[in-house]
Amino acid sequence: MESFAKASDRTRGTDDTGAVWEAAPYPVLVVDAGGAVRRANHAAGALFPAVRPGARLADVVPQWLAAAHHRGFLPHQDGHGTGAPPPAVIGPVGDRTYEAHPTRHEDGSVVWWLVDDTDHRLASDALRVERERTAFLAEASNLLLSSLNLERCMDVTARLAARHLADAAMVIAPRSGRRHPVTVCTMDGEPRRARLGVDPSDVPGLAEALQGFPPVPSRWIDPDSAPDWVVPDGFGRVGSMVVTPLPGHGVPAGALVLLRRSDRTSFNDSEEIFARLFAARAGAAMSAARLYAEQASITEILMRELLPPRLHHVDGVEFAAGYRPSADEERIGGDFYDVHPASVDGQESLVVLGDVCGKGLEAAVLTGKIRNTLHALLPMADDHQRVLRLLNGALLDSHHTRFATLVLASAVRRSGNVRLRLTSAGHPAPLIVRADGRVEEADTKGMLVGALPRIETRTHTTELAPGESCLLFTDGITEARGGPLGDELFGEDRLRTALAECAGMPAEAIVERVRMLVSEWLGTGRHDDMAVVAITAPRGAHLSAVGGHGPGRFTA
Amino acid sequence: MTTFPPHNLTLTRTVTDPHIVHIAITGDLDYDTSEEFLETVAEEMDARPELRELHLDCAELGTCDSMGLSILLMVHRRVTLAGIKLYLDNRQPALNRLLGITGTFRHFIGEPEGGEVPTAGSETRIVHPRDEN
C-alpha cells in the first residue's frame, strides 16, 4: 500500500499532461510492446497494488488483461506503432468488473484505459432477471386465469413453480374431508395429483402457511426435516426448501412448497420474495376457481330444486306443462310452476304458475320462498285472496321491491265438467279454449305480490266442459322475439289463434303445440324463461256410480 | 339471429323550480340499467331537500321489464316516504299495459285504470289495459 503514495516512482518523469492523467479518476496503464509497464496513474496503482514502472504486466494485472495486451502484438497484427490497438476486453478485478479500452501510443506502446463496469453489470443483470420474472408472472397469470377449474389451477401452479422457481414443487390445498388434495411436479415432469392424509405440521411452516400466516424464511428451515411425502420419488437429497402460503380471497387457498436439490444454490431473499409474488397470483386464481365451483354447485342444487314437477292426471283432471329455461346460461330465470294434487278425491288440486322478477341467485331464492310459502298455505287454498295476501306479507321486504306475478288455479271435477277458480296476481290472465274453438281470457285481475303493502285480487270462476282447456303461461311466451323479421313479439293474438286450433285436444298436445309454435317463432334467437301449464277436462266416461255429483273416477 | 339491441339508458333532468324536477327517461329500464336509474333518482332526492314533485317523463321509455318495474316501485316507495309525489308522465301503451297487468296502475297513477271492474262471470271480459289506448 505504501507504494501508492510514491507517484513519482510510477510515472517516471512529469510532462504537462502527466499531472492531468495522474489525477484521472479511471485507472490508466501505459505498457510497451514487450509487456513492461511504462507508466501507471494513481487510480491504476490503487487497483493493482503491485504495479510500478518496469514491472511485467503479466505479474501485476489479472491474466485476462495481460493476455489481451499480448494479443495486440502477435505477428499477424500490423507492425509496431502503426497497427490497430488490441480489442477492448472486460474482466473481473477482485469482486468488481472492468472494461479495458486500449489506445495505441505513437511510440508503439499501448495505453489501457480501465472503466469500472460493475454497477452497470449488476444493473443490467438485475434488469434481465426482472424482465424474466415479469414475463414469467404474466405467463403465469394468463395460464392461471384461463381456467376456473381448481385442479387445473393447482396443476398449472405446480408446473410453473417447478419449471421456473425450483427443482420440484408441491401445491397443497386446504383439507377436504380428512385429506389434503395435492399436486406435485418436478422440473421436467408432469403434475401428478393425489389426496394425502398427512399432517401438515410435519413440514416446518406448512401448517402456518395453510392458515395464511406469513412464510418462514427458508434459511430457518432445515431441508433434512422435510418428510418423505413432500419429496417426489427419486428426487435425491433436498438442499433447500421454501414454504409459502397461497393467499386467497379472505381465506387461504393453500400452500406452495418449493424444493431444490442439494447441488443447487439455495433460495436467496429475492427469490423467496418472487416466489411470494407468484404465490399471490396462484392463490387468487385457485381461490376464484374454488368460489366458482361452489357457486356452480349452489346453482346446480337450486336448479335441481326448481325443476318443474312432472304432471299427470289428478282425480279426473288433466295437467300438462312445458318449461324452457332462458338460453342465458349463467342465470337462473324466474319462471316456475307447481301442482299440488288434491289430498282427497273430490277436493281441489292447486296449480301455481309464476314469474319472479330478476334473474340469478336472488330470483332463485325468491322462487324457492314463494313455492315453500304456498305449500304451507295449501290448507287455505279455497280462498285465493287470502293465500295471496298472506304470501304478499311473507315476501314484503323493506330493502327491495323484488316481486312476483303468478296465477293460482284450483281445479276439481264436478259432474263431468272441471270447475276452475282462477286468480291472477299481476300476471297475464289465463286463456280458456272452449269446445267450439272460442278463446276467452279469464276475467281475473290482481296486483303483483312482494312489493306493495296491500294487494287486491279478483277471482274468476268457470267450468270446463269435456275437451275444453285452460292455459296458464308466462310472458316469456307472448314476448318471445322472432318471426320472419326476427324482432317481432309472438304476442297474445298469435297465442289465441294457436289455442283456437287446440279445441278438444288433450293437455299434453296443447302444451306441445304451443311450445313448438313458439320455438319456430324464436328460431335461434335469445329468449327469456318460458312456462306453460294446460288444465283440461278430459273427454272420458264417468266411472263412478254416484250420479256424477260425488267424488268419482274418470278415464281420459 | 335475433339479438336484443342494447339500448343505453339516458336520463335528462330539467328543474323548473326548487320543488319540481322532471327526469326524461330515454332507453330501456331493465336488468342492466335499473340500478343506475335508481342511483340517479336517489342523488336527485339527496341534492334537493325542497323537492315536492318528481316527474318521470316516459315518452321515450323503451322496454320496461320486470326489473324496470321493480325499480319504479322502489322509486315510488322512496319518494313517497320523503313526502314527494311521483308522476309517470307521457306513458306509452306498453307501460300502461305493464302497469295494468301487474295491477300497479292505481298504485302509480292514483286513479283506477280505464273503465275498471266489470262483474265477475264465466263469459265476461274485462277492459284490457291494452285496449284503453
Side-chain angles (χ1 to χ4, degrees), chain A residues 23-71:
Chain A
Y26 299 105
V28 183
L29 293 167
V30 183
V31 187
D32 66 20
V37 176
R38 216 183 268 171
R39 291 173 76 178
N41 73 349
H42 185 82
L47 187 63
F48 307 117
V51 81
R52 56 182 38 79
R56 292 203 55 77
L57 185 65
D59 298 337
V60 295
V61 302
Q63 163 64 21
W64 58 270
L65 183 53
H69 181 79
H70 180 63
R71 279 199 299 276

Side-chain angles (χ1 to χ4, degrees), chain A residues 166-169 186 203-204 218 221-243 257-267:
Chain A
D167 294 329
T186 54
V203 183
S218 70
I221 299 179
D222 173 11
D224 290 330
S225 68
D228 290 346
W229 57 266
V230 174
V231 185
D233 291 341
F235 182 78
R237 188 155 175 268
V238 178
S240 53
M241 177 160 76
V242 166
V243 178
V257 178
L258 302 176
L259 302 175
R260 275 186 187 167
R261 292 196 177 88
S262 48
D263 56 2
R264 267 188 62 179
T265 53
S266 52
F267 297 94

